[in-house]
Amino acid sequence: MASSSHPSFPPRSYGGNLGKLPDRSLGTAFGSSTQQQREKERQERERERLERERIEREEQNQLTEEQREEIKEAFALFDLDKDNKIDYHELKVAMKALGFDLPKAEILTILQTHGAPSEPSTSNAPHQSRLLLPFAQFQTIMSQRIIARDPREEVLRAFELFDEGGKGTINLQDLRRVARELGEGLEEDELAAMIDEFDLDGDGAINREEFLGICLN
């Protein structure tokens, strides 16, 4: 029987690769890249924060001192527990006091966007977390809304404070009442002279258009 010869293959060497660890330089490079990416994201967040603060300062500077005080007073008046945060009901009445009577859905959107959860209760009773709006956020939101408001709206809001009963005019009795509430010691003839000066149609009272003319011209 003829002997068969099998082709010989070159021996394989495994010893050189056994136990060889991955190149550590790859891991170092990857870690460095991740760290650089995180630093870039941190710097971007910091730039965004500084830009927001710059815009908020500019908005604050556009307000009059009286408007800034009104915002502070409205917040302080309705921050009933004096924790420098207000909840849904307090926010609604504070905004209404500043002339913004918003629907429930819009108030909730403000809280969901800018609010923070209340602290959990320390008692054993079940506690449902509420969203609260801090003063800084309230100040920013109200500044933006006041700046964006039509000046005519501001004037007409003031008109309504004079016009008792919503009759559409300011008469001598209205001026007398407002002067008394403000502690102004004006004489009757001085009040009558104010009516005469701005009463363009001669009806003995100041209507909305005449009041707008006084305040905007």
Side-chain angles (χ1 to χ4, degrees):
M1 181 177 180
S3 62
S4 60
S5 60
H6 298 282
S8 60
F9 296 96
R12 297 182 181 179
S13 174
Y14 297 100
N17 293 327
L18 289 175
K20 185 176 180 181
L21 296 174
D23 190 345
R24 292 184 178 180
S25 63
L26 295 175
T28 303
F30 179 77
S32 176
S33 175
T34 302
Q35 186 175 1
Q36 290 174 356
Q37 180 65 24
R38 288 176 179 170
E39 178 63 16
K40 183 178 179 181
E41 291 173 353
R42 187 194 67 78
Q43 292 176 355
E44 182 63 26
R45 288 194 299 270
E46 181 67 10
R47 279 195 295 270
E48 291 175 355
R49 183 184 67 82
L50 293 174
E51 178 65 14
R52 284 196 304 270
E53 290 180 354
R54 183 188 67 79
I55 293 172
E56 289 172 7
R57 284 194 300 270
E58 289 181 354
E59 290 170 343
Q60 288 292 314
N61 291 335
Q62 292 180 53
L63 296 178
T64 65
E65 185 62 32
E66 182 180 0
Q67 288 171 327
R68 285 194 286 268
E69 284 301 315
E70 283 181 352
I71 292 173
K72 290 178 183 177
E73 289 173 4
F75 187 93
L77 180 62
F78 297 106
D79 178 18
L80 301 180
D81 48 9
K82 305 304 177 187
D83 61 352
N84 213 37
K85 301 181 184 72
I86 52 178
D87 62 15
Y88 166 83
H89 299 287
E90 294 166 339
L91 174 59
K92 185 172 179 62
V93 291
M95 293 190 72
K96 187 172 183 179
L98 291 169
F100 299 93
D101 191 6
L102 273 59
K104 179 177 181 179
E106 197 167 345
I107 297 288
L108 291 174
T109 298
I110 290 173
L111 284 171
Q112 290 162 1
T113 305
H114 303 282
S118 59
E119 295 295 328
S121 175
T122 55
S123 66
N124 294 327
H127 175 78
Q128 184 176 2
S129 178
R130 298 175 300 156
L131 288 173
L132 302 176
L133 189 72
F135 173 70
Q137 281 68 33
F138 178 80
Q139 188 177 42
T140 298
I141 292 166
M142 297 316 303
S143 297
Q144 292 169 345
R145 287 179 176 268
I146 289 173
I147 290 168
R149 183 160 52 188
D150 185 346
R152 287 175 59 92
E153 292 182 14
E154 285 276 287
V155 173
L156 291 175
R157 189 163 70 92
F159 179 88
E160 291 172 1
L161 297 177
F162 282 87
D163 176 18
E164 188 175 34
K167 57 190 175 298
T169 58
I170 299 171
N171 57 27
L172 184 59
Q173 182 179 349
D174 293 323
L175 285 186
R176 190 185 303 121
R177 173 182 54 81
V178 172
R180 184 174 61 253
E181 290 174 354
L182 296 177
E184 298 288 344
L186 296 175
E187 299 293 334
E188 191 78 7
D189 57 346
E190 292 178 290
L191 296 174
M194 293 171 64
I195 295 286
D196 291 339
E197 181 178 358
F198 300 109
D199 175 21
L200 301 180
D201 57 10
D203 64 350
I206 299 172
N207 59 36
R208 285 186 176 85
E209 290 305 317
E210 290 167 343
F211 192 78
L212 284 167
I214 297 168
C215 298
L216 297 180
N217 295 337

